[in-house]
Amino acid sequence: MSVEGPNDPIKEPSESFGAEQVSQEEIAAFERKARAKRKKKKLKQRIRTLEKKLAVYDSDTASKLYGLTPELEKEVAQALAPEKARQLYRLVRPLHAADHADLIERYSGRDRETLVTVLGRYFDPETLTYLDDKVREEIIPLLDEEVLKNALQMLESDDAVEVLGELDDVDQARLLDALPERERAMVEEGLTYDEASAGRLMQREMVTVPEHWTVGQTIDFMRTTEQLPNNFYDIFVVDPAHHPLGKLSLSRLLRSKRPVLVEDVMRTDFHTVPVVMDQEDVAMLFRQYGLVSAPVVDAAGRLIGMITVDDVVEVMNEEAEEDILRLGGVANDDLHGSLFSTARSRFSWLAVNLMTAIVASGVIGAFETTIEKIVALAVLMPIVASMGGNAGTQTLTVAVRALSMRELSSTNAFKFVMKEMTVGSLNGIMFALIAAGACWAWFGDPKIAAVMGSAMVINLFVAGLSGTLIPITLERFKIDPAVASTVFLTTVTDVVGFFTFLGLAALFLM
């Protein structure tokens, strides 16, 4: 005998059970649809909420990624008054060293001095490493002597060398005397190397272990020593004469068992950097093989330092910036340089451009009679020269970049030249048809249109040829293509453009 509870369902007779079952299924289906609609509605609301958040994020991404936001800049500008020093301190103190450096570079004169001195003894030494060279030269005298000495002691040796390298001999000697003996020896050694060499780029702080050590000994050593670099990625295994035998990444070290010998897990296929290697070649080595650090060796092959990827990234940026600026005929310190030094540095390039313009004008003067008789030529000839100059600049930019990245060499130079000549010819033909049609419609003279089209084809062909041959030739003569290529290119395209157009006009229209 069974007893049903108060909440137990009461079963109906069997003949009505089927109908009740169908009804329950319909109810269950309805509830499922209702739940699905509710979920869909909630999902739509969630999507709208996310879209609003994304819209806010997109509109303010840059300011949220970096500590130096536009709002903070406005607050800093309002707090630069002498009576608001405490407020300025609260605004500047939390900034990352890179953001503080950016802020300093955006001001000059008394405002820059205020930004440097307001932190007092809390000035972050890392800020010096992020500053432009010109700006760093200006603010170092503003720092308190004790602050500057403490800053140099806290910096890695390569950063300390970079900072001291900007000072004169008297200031260098004074600050070097304030350093501990070990740090002073490392910095003095770094200052003896060429400014653009691996010796200036490397840091002397590194971790070296003998090959007979175990993984456990190496880990215990790093836990107990106080001479570890602030940032490092690899441990270098050396012999008794301090020649590098292998390289062991920290990730490989931590995955290995303590009793394992270092020589059994180290990599022997590593790249060493000669201390006299140019920093541009060092950057190329890191880029080519995806390195994060590399040991630096002296002439005898002894390990004397290491270069890390963060320093190489800075070199890459500097070299790329330098090439871009040189293509425009300006120096890399024009932004922060003084008024007269900037004007003086640009004068030489403008003088060269003046000479090339005179040469092009001489070509025009030779066809003075032709231009007088056919005035339309004076209207049309700048188009030919301008198109050639722009086409040549496109080719030149590709060539200079390929040369700087070591992607253009004697093995593929001919193929590159032929390709650019063909591209110039194809573009010349297409624009010749466009220009000729426009000339015919404008002046109603098919002969002028034919001359215009022919000159366009010839000049764009020459632009493609000269845009490749000029930088390659300069590179062969050990002249930086980024410096001199533009001047030669504009001269060639202007002279050829004017001479071709006016010469064909004199030949067929007179």
Side-chain angles (χ1 to χ4, degrees), residues 146-325:
E146 209 52 43
V147 171
L148 188 55
K149 290 178 180 178
N150 291 335
L152 291 174
Q153 293 181 27
M154 294 174 65
L155 290 174
E156 298 279 12
S157 58
D158 57 328
D159 294 328
V161 168
E162 181 182 1
V163 172
L164 285 172
E166 306 294 335
L167 304 179
D168 56 41
D169 294 339
V170 176
D171 291 333
Q172 277 187 14
R174 187 181 75 255
L175 293 172
L176 282 171
D177 289 339
L179 293 176
E181 183 177 353
R182 180 174 177 272
E183 283 78 3
R184 182 172 68 249
M186 291 192 296
V187 173
E188 285 177 337
E189 180 190 357
L191 290 171
T192 61
Y193 296 113
D194 184 74
E195 187 175 355
S197 68
R200 279 291 185 98
L201 199 61
M202 72 177 179
Q203 65 181 70
R204 281 78 189 159
E205 301 90 350
M206 56 186 167
V207 180
T208 59
V209 297
E211 58 182 326
H212 61 267
W213 272 20
T214 64
V215 168
Q217 286 176 294
T218 304
I219 294 175
D220 293 339
F221 166 73
M222 290 192 294
R223 286 174 176 170
T224 56
T225 184
E226 297 180 358
Q227 303 299 330
L228 290 179
N230 291 335
N231 297 294
F232 67 100
Y233 313 99
D234 297 303
I235 298 168
F236 302 107
V237 184
V238 295
D239 64 11
H242 221 64
H243 295 104
L245 300 175
K247 184 171 73 169
L248 178 60
S249 66
L250 291 178
S251 59
R252 181 70 182 275
L253 176 74
L254 295 175
R255 288 200 304 265
S256 303
K257 302 294 184 181
R258 289 182 62 87
V260 177
L261 291 175
V262 166
E263 64 177 343
D264 293 334
V265 291
M266 70 180 185
R267 288 185 57 180
T268 56
D269 56 336
F270 61 97
H271 297 82
T272 58
V273 176
V275 71
V276 295
M277 178 182 281
D278 186 87
Q279 64 176 14
E280 191 170 351
D281 295 327
V282 175
M284 184 61 60
L285 184 69
F286 270 69
R287 175 184 175 273
Q288 182 72 18
Y289 298 105
L291 305 179
V292 293
S293 70
V296 181
V297 296
D298 60 13
R302 291 187 297 268
L303 181 64
I304 59 174
M306 72 171 179
I307 296 176
T308 53
V309 68
D310 56 319
D311 295 315
V312 173
V313 169
E314 185 177 347
V315 170
M316 290 179 178
N317 289 335
E318 289 176 356
E319 295 292 342
E321 179 185 5
E322 184 180 357
D323 287 345
I324 292 172
L325 292 173

Side-chain angles (χ1 to χ4, degrees), residues 368-384:
E368 183 177 359
T369 305
T370 306
I371 296 174
E372 287 179 352
K373 293 182 179 180
I374 308 175
V375 181
L377 300 180
V379 179
L380 298 175
M381 65 182 182
I383 300 176
V384 179

Side-chain angles (χ1 to χ4, degrees), residues 8-49:
D8 289 338
I10 299 175
K11 295 182 180 180
E12 297 293 333
S14 58
E15 58 268 15
S16 63
F17 181 77
E20 183 180 358
Q21 186 177 26
V22 173
S23 176
Q24 291 294 334
E25 288 178 353
E26 288 177 350
I27 293 173
F30 177 79
E31 289 178 348
R32 284 197 298 270
K33 289 180 181 179
R35 284 196 298 269
K37 286 182 178 180
R38 287 195 296 270
K39 287 182 179 180
K40 188 175 181 180
K41 186 177 180 181
K42 289 181 179 179
L43 181 60
K44 287 182 177 179
Q45 291 175 346
R46 179 62 177 164
I47 290 174
R48 283 195 293 269
T49 303

Side-chain angles (χ1 to χ4, degrees), residues 22-89:
V22 173
S23 176
Q24 291 294 334
E25 288 178 353
E26 288 177 350
I27 293 173
F30 177 79
E31 289 178 348
R32 284 197 298 270
K33 289 180 181 179
R35 284 196 298 269
K37 286 182 178 180
R38 287 195 296 270
K39 287 182 179 180
K40 188 175 181 180
K41 186 177 180 181
K42 289 181 179 179
L43 181 60
K44 287 182 177 179
Q45 291 175 346
R46 179 62 177 164
I47 290 174
R48 283 195 293 269
T49 303
L50 289 173
E51 286 176 346
K52 290 179 181 179
K53 290 182 178 180
L54 286 173
V56 173
Y57 178 79
D58 290 339
S59 63
D60 201 28
T61 300
S63 62
K64 291 186 181 299
L65 285 177
Y66 306 102
L68 190 58
T69 62
E71 292 76 14
L72 180 59
E73 286 191 64
K74 292 178 182 178
E75 293 180 19
V76 168
Q78 295 170 358
L80 283 171
E83 65 274 9
K84 297 184 178 180
R86 188 180 296 274
Q87 179 184 350
L88 181 62
Y89 175 85

Side-chain angles (χ1 to χ4, degrees), residues 345-468:
S345 66
R346 297 184 186 182
F347 179 84
S348 57
W349 285 104
L350 292 175
V352 173
N353 286 329
L354 175 62
M355 299 302 297
T356 60
I358 291 174
V359 173
S361 298
V363 174
I364 297 174
F367 295 93
E368 183 177 359
T369 305
T370 306
I371 296 174
E372 287 179 352
K373 293 182 179 180
I374 308 175
V375 181
L377 300 180
V379 179
L380 298 175
M381 65 182 182
I383 300 176
V384 179
S386 176
M387 288 296 294
N390 289 331
T393 301
Q394 290 176 334
T395 303
L396 178 66
T397 304
V398 175
V400 171
R401 186 261 180 195
L403 287 170
S404 64
M405 300 301 292
R406 312 292 171 83
E407 295 175 354
L408 184 59
S409 61
S410 57
T411 57
N412 62 349
F414 178 75
K415 180 181 179 181
F416 176 70
V417 173
M418 294 301 297
K419 175 188 173 183
E420 293 300 327
M421 285 170 53
T422 306
V423 170
S425 300
L426 291 175
N427 281 331
I429 293 171
M430 288 186 288
F431 282 103
L433 295 173
I434 297 173
C439 289
W440 196 343
W442 190 356
F443 298 102
D445 190 338
K447 291 183 179 180
I448 293 180
V451 168
M452 181 68 174
S454 302
M456 187 76 74
V457 174
I458 294 172
N459 202 26
L460 264 68
F461 169 79
V462 172
L465 179 62
S466 56
T468 55

